[in-house]
Amino acid sequence: MKEIIRAGLAELGLLDQVPQEAPEQLAEYGRLMLEKNQVMNLTAITDPEQAARLHMLDSAALLLCADFQGEKTLIDVGTGAGLPGLPLKILVPSLQVTLLDSLGKRVDWLNQVCAQLGLEGIQAIHARAEEQALVKGYRDSFDFVTARAVAQLRLLGELCLPYVKVGGQFLAMKTTESASEVEEAAHCIKLLGGRAGEPVDYVIPGAQVTHRVLPIRKLAPTLKGYPRRWARIQKQPL
């Protein structure tokens, strides 16, 4: 995995921008993920080469979309196996990262992995996204919010935009078939204080797969009352 990651970072034009040990750390993280995946559902990808490309390099491509340098803060909502938040921490050590997931066992494993990799300035917390967004210190507080979830953007928007500080960005990782999602989410984005920017498409090195990042900048604090409970979000999307 290490050499695949190193070559992929070079192809993306990122190798000179990241720590020298980043490819090795990302490969070790991938190894730990696939090992744990045998007893815990973390990823549908079980091949190391595919994990290197479709997890590590896919996450790394976010560096093409925004400037994470300078002790910025990021929360990765619905992080699952730690993607993309944990790779971003490895690639940008100054980034202060919070990994948020609703499954306690995953959170425990993520904290163990961060300790094993010797990472500081990163924490995994066990909470529901719509509840943690109401907590002081989390609401309207982060420079960046990431989500790699499969939910529609108008659902993800209500979960994620409340975390973004004014001037910050929500970076939604999507496929290239997501153009209609932005239109459908227009009301949600505007209501919660955001404005959609131009999508950024990128090809994952060696995978012949094109993915898209939808950047949404926060222009105003999120209105009180949002996010609503998850059942309400699903039943009555904004």
Side-chain angles (χ1 to χ4, degrees):
M1 277 194 281
K2 176 183 172 182
E3 291 310 315
I4 291 173
I5 292 168
R6 183 186 298 279
L9 289 172
E11 189 173 328
L12 290 168
L14 298 171
L15 189 59
D16 293 339
Q17 302 175 29
V18 304
Q20 188 175 355
E21 65 272 16
E24 186 172 347
Q25 280 191 303
L26 288 170
E28 177 63 8
Y29 164 43
R31 186 191 69 77
L32 293 170
M33 181 195 304
L34 295 181
E35 181 182 280
K36 190 66 174 181
N37 198 55
Q38 296 176 23
V39 294
M40 182 189 297
N41 183 25
L42 291 173
T43 173
I45 295 172
T46 57
D47 176 66
E49 181 178 333
Q50 291 297 303
R53 300 190 191 284
L54 298 178
H55 284 330
M56 304 308 161
L57 294 177
D58 189 32
S59 297
L62 278 176
L63 298 185
L64 303 172
C65 308
D67 180 10
F68 295 95
Q69 299 290 342
E71 297 191 4
K72 303 278 180 62
T73 57
L74 179 146
I75 185 168
D76 188 19
V77 174
T79 191
L83 303 159
L86 210 161
L88 288 174
K89 175 63 184 179
I90 290 171
L91 293 162
V92 188
S94 63
L95 190 63
Q96 302 296 300
V97 174
T98 300
L99 307 173
L100 177 71
D101 200 82
S102 60
L103 187 64
K105 288 191 296 184
R106 272 201 297 256
V107 167
D108 291 342
W109 175 75
L110 285 167
N111 280 319
Q112 290 171 11
V113 169
C114 291
Q116 282 181 258
L117 296 176
L119 302 178
E120 297 179 354
I122 183 169
Q123 63 169 343
I125 61 172
H126 176 213
R128 295 186 61 86
E130 70 276 17
E131 295 173 357
Q132 195 66 23
L134 304 176
V135 176
K136 186 177 180 181
Y138 287 84
R139 188 177 185 83
D140 295 315
S141 297
F142 291 87
D143 294 299
F144 297 102
V145 177
T146 51
R148 205 170 176 239
V150 294
Q152 291 288 308
L153 186 60
R154 59 180 179 166
L155 304 180
L156 272 182
E158 187 168 351
L159 292 177
C160 295
L161 274 169
Y163 287 100
V164 188
K165 70 185 339 181
V166 173
Q169 291 188 84
F170 166 37
L171 302 171
M173 301 179 75
K174 291 286 184 179
T175 68
T176 52
E177 285 77 50
S178 57
S180 61
E181 287 191 43
V182 180
E183 296 177 14
E184 293 169 359
H187 175 67
C188 168
I189 292 169
K190 184 176 181 180
L191 180 67
L192 300 181
R195 181 176 66 193
E198 287 297 317
V200 179
D201 290 351
Y202 58 90
V203 178
I204 300 173
Q208 285 75 53
V209 174
T210 302
H211 279 174
R212 173 172 292 169
V213 173
L214 302 174
I216 301 171
R217 187 165 292 280
K218 189 79 168 282
L219 303 180
T222 296
L223 293 172
K224 187 178 179 180
Y226 297 99
R228 301 165 294 166
R229 292 187 178 277
W230 176 237
R232 184 82 179 276
I233 294 173
Q234 287 181 299
K235 191 174 181 180
Q236 297 178 310
L238 295 175

